[in-house]
Amino acid sequence: MKSAWKHKDLIAIRPLDAAEIALLHDTARAFKEVLSRPIKKVPSLRGKTVINLFVEPSTRTRTSFELAAKRLSADVVSIASESSSFKKGETLKDTGLNLQAMNSDIIILRHPAAGAPQFLAERLKAGVINAGDGAHEHPTQALLDTFTILEKLGNVSAPPDKKLAGIKIAIVGDILFSRVARSDIWAMTKLGAEVTLVGPTTLLPDTFRELGVKVSHRIDDVLAEAHVIMLLRIQHERQKQQLFPSLGEYVSLFGLTHERFKRCRPDVLIMHPGPINRGVEIASELADGVNSVILQQVSNGLAVRMAALYLLTGGNGPQGVNS
Ligand code: CP
């Protein structure tokens, strides 16, 4: 069977359809099995070159992509902007062209400017994966988030657009500046989930309703029904001004505290893309508690990123992962 993957790049979830998301998930599931073996490596990307180009800090995404490429037997190089020729004024286009001139097959880009990965993708023959661009999108984060929800609560054998049907997901926090929220909204709704966004009015404008989600400014109104609560960090680095009076007030109005947790479903899944600000968006013990799947999200990220690298380099879907 031929792979149904049709794209040179992975820039955003928005243009993907549910079947393409399901293909990425199915392929990730096959790679998760590979990762459970004593020898966690396949030759799928032998002879391919993957470049990790990170112009913003990262722990999870950068390490995960690097490990994913290594597990697929690719040659992988990671470049941090502080030690690159960006510091000498080289443009993103020139950096990309020079990396491509070294026969790179895939360039993974994290950048503070929304649109930077698309800009590069339009100028290179190499595939480009967006590892997070400004407040635009973070597609592999949404893929690993939905993969984790699907694994715990979804219906894997349902049609792609119904795999998360009936699942109520609350995304809480700084929605306005969150690329994770945007990618999650697209991925979750395409798979049939019912998404409610929760946050202060300054961080959650009503225009988000246009994305097919509900908007609430009271976390207490969503706790009892949510099957999944996704907490988001306040993105101070993207905010030009203080958008709420104090962290203390934010915690009292929007933090997932022990008191609020008592009003949640007993089986609620607690998720967070990381990095966590313990004691702010989530009580520290809840981040480590039995309802938390935060570290499972991280583990699943490796399989999801293997799937993305594999499909973008011509991989043949889940049935081909061992070849
Ligand atoms: N979730 C995420 O993007 O984490 P990093 O910033 O550590 O990559």
Side-chain angles (χ1 to χ4, degrees):
M1 194 170 76
K2 290 295 286 178
S3 160
W5 187 255
K6 304 271 190 301
H7 309 278
K8 176 177 83 70
D9 312 293
L10 176 57
I11 304 297
I13 298 293
R14 184 177 188 168
L16 301 183
D17 61 29
E20 290 171 316
I21 296 171
L23 174 66
L24 278 151
H25 282 162
D26 291 346
T27 309
R29 208 167 294 113
F31 280 123
K32 191 165 177 175
E33 189 279 319
V34 170
L35 292 170
S36 70
R37 298 177 192 166
I39 297 175
K40 303 168 179 30
K41 200 156 179 164
V42 285
S44 316
L45 264 69
R46 197 161 49 199
K48 304 279 186 195
T49 301
V50 174
I51 308 276
N52 246 343
L53 179 57
F54 276 61
V55 190
E56 255 193 2
S58 169
T59 297
R60 281 147 290 271
T61 314
R62 181 177 152 172
T63 312
S64 183
F65 267 119
E66 187 168 331
L67 278 174
K70 287 180 172 169
R71 299 277 189 256
L72 294 165
S73 307
D75 296 316
V76 55
V77 177
S78 288
I79 303 172
S81 59
E82 312 84 65
S83 55
S84 76
S85 289
F86 281 128
K87 281 287 196 193
K88 302 175 195 164
E90 189 168 46
T91 64
L92 178 62
K93 178 184 169 186
D94 282 334
T95 301
L97 288 171
N98 278 270
L99 295 174
Q100 180 171 264
M102 292 179 241
N103 291 324
S104 308
D105 297 286
I106 299 276
I107 296 175
I108 297 155
L109 177 64
R110 169 166 289 189
H111 202 284
Q118 179 68 38
F119 172 89
L120 203 58
E122 287 168 4
R123 284 155 183 82
L124 299 184
K125 291 194 182 70
V128 175
I129 298 181
N130 178 7
D133 61 332
H136 172 226
E137 282 224 33
H138 190 349
T140 56
Q141 181 67 46
L143 290 167
L144 74 89
D145 290 341
T146 46
F147 181 92
T148 305
I149 298 168
L150 189 55
E151 195 171 56
K152 298 283 178 191
L153 303 174
N155 182 353
V156 175
S157 53
D161 62 345
K162 306 242 173 348
K163 286 186 190 291
L164 294 181
I167 307 297
K168 295 185 176 175
I169 303 172
I171 305 178
V172 183
D174 176 356
I175 308 292
L176 183 61
F177 292 93
S178 174
R179 54 197 177 207
V180 173
R182 284 174 181 77
S183 286
D184 270 343
I185 290 166
W186 290 117
M188 291 165 178
T189 54
K190 282 170 193 276
L191 298 179
E194 187 182 302
V195 178
T196 303
L197 307 178
V198 184
T201 49
T202 48
L203 296 175
L204 176 53
D206 264 357
T207 48
F208 273 90
R209 288 183 209 276
E210 291 163 18
L211 304 186
V213 296
K214 294 182 186 167
V215 164
S216 170
H217 303 296
R218 285 174 44 87
I219 188 173
D220 296 299
D221 290 349
V222 306
L223 294 174
E225 287 212 335
H227 300 99
V228 178
I229 301 179
M230 169 85 69
L231 287 317
L232 299 177
R233 178 177 70 88
I234 304 292
Q235 311 248 332
H236 294 289
E237 70 274 25
R238 286 186 229 293
Q239 296 176 8
K240 302 277 185 291
Q241 62 191 72
Q242 181 78 15
L243 290 167
F244 48 88
S246 69
L247 273 187
E249 183 170 309
Y250 181 84
V251 174
S252 75
L253 291 175
F254 295 100
L256 186 62
T257 57
H258 291 284
E259 190 49 48
R260 290 200 168 106
F261 179 64
K262 287 183 199 152
R263 282 178 270 141
C264 294
R265 293 170 60 99
D267 56 355
V268 67
L269 291 190
I270 295 177
M271 303 182 71
H272 196 306
I276 300 171
N277 286 148
R278 288 175 183 264
V280 181
E281 64 269 15
I282 183 168
S284 186
E285 297 79 6
L286 296 178
D288 302 326
V290 292
N291 294 73
S292 169
V293 293
I294 295 170
L295 293 179
Q296 291 171 55
Q297 290 171 258
V298 177
S299 300
N300 286 335
L302 187 49
V304 161
R305 290 178 176 119
M306 286 172 80
L309 289 169
Y310 172 77
L311 291 173
L312 261 68
T313 50
N316 193 22
Q319 65 280 5
V321 304
N322 292 307
S323 56

